[in-house]
Amino acid sequence: MTSHSEKHIHQGRNIKRFREMLGIKQEAIAIELGDDWTQKKVSHLETKETIEPALLQQVAAILKVPVAALENMDDEGAINIIANTFTDNDEAIAVGNIDNYKCNFNPLDKMVELYERMIAQQAEMIEKLERLIKEK
C-alpha cells in the first residue's frame, strides 16, 4: 500500500474523466482554449501526467470544476473512501435498526441537479459554437 507522500495523480486523466462526465467533446475544449488548439492537441493533453498550472486553470474554468479537483483526484483515494465507508448493514437489519438507510437528502434530487447543470453547460457550449460559426 502506498503512503500519502507517494500519491500518484494523473492530471490529464482527471481532465478526461471530468470532461467525459460532463459530456463535453475534446473539440469543444479545443475551441475554448483558442485558435492554436485542436482535438488532437487536447487528446495529447489528456495523456500528460502533469500539466502547467496556467493551462490547468484554463481547463478547470472551461469544465467549471475547481482546479484542486484536477490536481488532487486520484484512484486510490476514491477506492479508500469507498472501502472505508461501505458497510452492508446486515447486522443492523437483524436487530431492527434501519436508521443507517436513511439519507438526509434525496439522491434522485441530486441526480436531477447534476443533469440540469450538465444540460445548461451543453446549451452554453452550443451557443458559443453557434457564435463561432456565425463569426466565420
Side-chain angles (χ1 to χ4, degrees), residues 6-64:
E6 298 173 20
K7 197 154 105 171
H8 182 55
I9 296 171
H10 195 289
Q11 293 174 343
R13 195 175 304 128
N14 289 344
I15 289 172
K16 181 177 181 176
R17 286 184 183 134
F18 277 103
R19 179 184 60 75
E20 288 175 344
M21 282 190 285
L22 294 168
I24 299 173
K25 300 265 186 209
Q26 289 175 334
E27 294 88 356
I29 300 289
I31 289 168
E32 290 292 316
L33 285 172
D35 291 336
D36 57 331
W37 281 86
T38 63
Q39 176 273 324
K40 193 171 192 161
K41 197 169 174 182
V42 172
S43 179
H44 178 68
L45 176 72
E46 291 177 351
T47 65
K48 293 175 76 178
E49 189 168 335
T50 306
I51 297 168
E52 305 78 46
L55 181 56
L56 198 62
Q57 203 163 22
Q58 275 185 286
V59 174
I62 292 167
L63 296 173
K64 295 183 171 104

Side-chain angles (χ1 to χ4, degrees), residues 65-107:
V65 299
V67 177
L70 300 176
E71 291 174 327
N72 300 321
M73 188 172 86
D74 69 320
D75 293 334
E76 185 179 326
I79 291 167
N80 284 338
I81 289 169
I82 293 167
N84 292 332
T85 59
F86 176 78
T87 60
D88 61 8
N89 289 317
D90 285 343
E91 61 280 349
I93 294 170
V95 295
N97 179 5
I98 58 170
D99 288 341
N100 292 332
Y101 289 104
K102 292 181 182 175
C103 290
N104 59 2
F105 64 91
N106 185 342

